[in-house]
Amino acid sequence: MEKWSGKTAIVTGASAGIGDAIVRELVKYGINVVALARRMERLETLKDQLKDEPGKVIPIKCDVSDKASIDAAFEEIEKEVGTVQILVNNAGICFMQQMFGDDDEKTDEIISSTINTNFLGLVRVARKGYKLMKKSDDYGIIINIGSIAGHNASMEYFVNVYSGTKFAVRAVTESMRQELNKLKDTKVRVCEISPGGVQTEIGGDTIFTAEMKAILEAGEYPILKSSDVAQTVLFMLMTPYNVNITEMIVKPVGESM
Ligand SMILES: NC(=O)c1ccc[n+]([C@@H]2O[C@H](COP(=O)([O-])OP(=O)(O)OC[C@H]3O[C@@H](n4cnc5c(N)ncnc54)[C@H](OP(=O)(O)O)[C@@H]3O)[C@@H](O)[C@H]2O)c1
């Protein structure tokens, strides 16, 4: 990890769950982290909690489902840090909601915000992040967080378009990699991590219902911690610059999905 010390990372969705855990790991290695999310108060708390670590946290507000918000955030990032070397495209949402049934507006909103956040937002942030990487002649890496739901749509819940967005994340990650090959860019790697179930705040009560929480508390269901996924990000970073782990599936032992 020494090679990344003093470098700059951007982590989206840094205010909770997996993103928060990734920031906590990166700063330990002297990496300065631009932490993006909508809830600034959470990012400020994270910055405060990590103030004694070798790397610093730079909180910046960004709604990745909104192009204008991404544009404004990246203007600020460029002003604050100039260039970046690591981008972890992690922000994502998932609501347990049927697609069929009522032709209601709420479902339509969930469909568009899931696509805009998990897919369109990820692509737009990757485009902006790559541009900042190329401002220096340094090595760079883009890590897109997908999901096991991007490998297997047949889940036992109503995952709405979530699975579709995560299949799309895998596809576009490979398209990005191929495009960089065509551009003969041998300095920036693109890869994807597909976690299995992770106990976070995702979906709120629609996923972690009282019943599910009781099952988890009783240790009756295998599930990862956010810090487990953060370790896999470190693993990606530890590989030499010429090694591209293009895709990694991370499951808790015993997971059936
Ligand atoms: N938990 C799992 O079982 C699991 C499994 C596989 C993959 N994943 C993936 O892991 C990633 C992180 O999820 P998590 O489980 O850590 O969920 P989480 O605890 O709910 O955290 C989600 C993060 O994404 C941010 N976010 C959501 N919408 C955003 C938006 N429009 N703009 C900016 N930030 C936004 C949230 O910040 P704000 O609300 O403050 O903006 C929050 O920081 C997601 O891509 C998810 O699909 C999760």
Side-chain angles (χ1 to χ4, degrees), residues 13-19 37-39 62-65 90-93 117 145-148 162 166 195-198 200-202:
S15 61
I18 296 169
R38 293 166 301 181
R39 288 171 291 179
C62 181
D63 178 348
V64 300
S65 69
N90 162 77
I93 53 173
T117 307
I145 304 295
S147 170
I148 193 65
Y162 180 74
K166 293 300 184 175
V198 191
T200 65
E201 297 172 18
I202 199 161

Side-chain angles (χ1 to χ4, degrees), residues 4 8-12 22 26 34 36 74 77 84-90 121-133 139-145 176 188-191 233 237:
W4 296 110
T8 305
I10 297 173
V11 177
T12 69
I22 293 168
L26 296 183
V34 178
L36 301 182
F74 271 83
I77 295 170
V84 302
Q85 289 72 43
I86 299 167
L87 166 62
V88 186
N89 239 327
N90 162 77
L122 175 139
V123 172
R124 285 178 169 151
V125 169
R127 277 163 46 81
K128 290 279 184 187
Y130 180 71
K131 205 167 159 206
L132 284 192
M133 276 179 200
Y139 288 95
I141 184 165
I142 299 172
I143 302 176
N144 294 328
I145 304 295
M176 288 175 189
V188 177
R189 291 175 279 170
V190 189
C191 43
V233 169
L237 294 175

Side-chain angles (χ1 to χ4, degrees), residues 105-117:
E105 274 309 305
K106 183 178 164 238
T107 306
D108 194 73
E109 272 166 32
I110 286 174
I111 289 170
S112 46
S113 61
T114 305
I115 294 170
N116 288 344
T117 307

Side-chain angles (χ1 to χ4, degrees), residues 29-226:
Y29 295 92
I31 298 166
N32 299 315
V33 186
V34 178
L36 301 182
R38 293 166 301 181
R39 288 171 291 179
M40 277 303 279
E41 66 290 355
R42 289 223 185 176
L43 298 180
E44 292 293 351
T45 304
L46 185 63
K47 177 183 173 179
D48 200 44
Q49 288 172 348
L50 299 177
K51 63 180 185 310
D52 297 327
E53 296 292 348
K56 63 178 178 188
V57 177
I58 303 143
I60 294 181
K61 191 177 177 109
C62 181
D63 178 348
V64 300
S65 69
D66 173 8
K67 184 176 181 299
S69 176
I70 295 175
D71 290 346
F74 271 83
E75 241 177 66
E76 204 176 332
I77 295 170
E78 192 165 8
K79 247 185 257 156
E80 287 278 334
V81 298
T83 65
V84 302
Q85 289 72 43
I86 299 167
L87 166 62
V88 186
N89 239 327
N90 162 77
I93 53 173
C94 177
F95 291 102
M96 293 299 149
Q97 170 79 20
Q98 284 180 251
M99 267 187 280
F100 298 123
D102 295 342
D103 181 20
D104 61 319
E105 274 309 305
K106 183 178 164 238
T107 306
D108 194 73
E109 272 166 32
I110 286 174
I111 289 170
S112 46
S113 61
T114 305
I115 294 170
N116 288 344
T117 307
N118 297 6
F119 183 64
L120 197 49
L122 175 139
V123 172
R124 285 178 169 151
V125 169
R127 277 163 46 81
K128 290 279 184 187
Y130 180 71
K131 205 167 159 206
L132 284 192
M133 276 179 200
K134 296 319 286 179
K135 273 187 69 193
S136 72
D137 192 33
D138 213 338
Y139 288 95
I141 184 165
I142 299 172
I143 302 176
N144 294 328
I145 304 295
S147 170
I148 193 65
H151 297 255
N152 179 10
S154 145
M155 302 178 86
E156 55 192 281
Y157 317 103
F158 295 118
V159 291
N160 197 284
V161 292
Y162 180 74
S163 229
T165 63
K166 293 300 184 175
F167 270 81
V169 166
R170 286 179 59 220
V172 84
T173 301
E174 180 58 12
S175 299
M176 288 175 189
R177 194 184 72 80
Q178 294 285 354
E179 183 167 322
L180 294 188
N181 286 349
K182 287 204 173 59
L183 294 173
K184 300 201 182 324
D185 184 340
T186 53
K187 287 201 151 177
V188 177
R189 291 175 279 170
V190 189
C191 43
E192 189 265 352
I193 297 176
S194 294
V198 191
Q199 192 165 6
T200 65
E201 297 172 18
I202 199 161
D205 292 343
T206 70
I207 297 178
F208 295 105
T209 56
E211 188 194 359
M212 187 58 180
K213 280 183 187 153
I215 291 170
L216 290 173
E217 257 165 47
E220 288 166 6
Y221 191 89
I223 193 151
L224 295 166
K225 298 192 290 293
S226 295

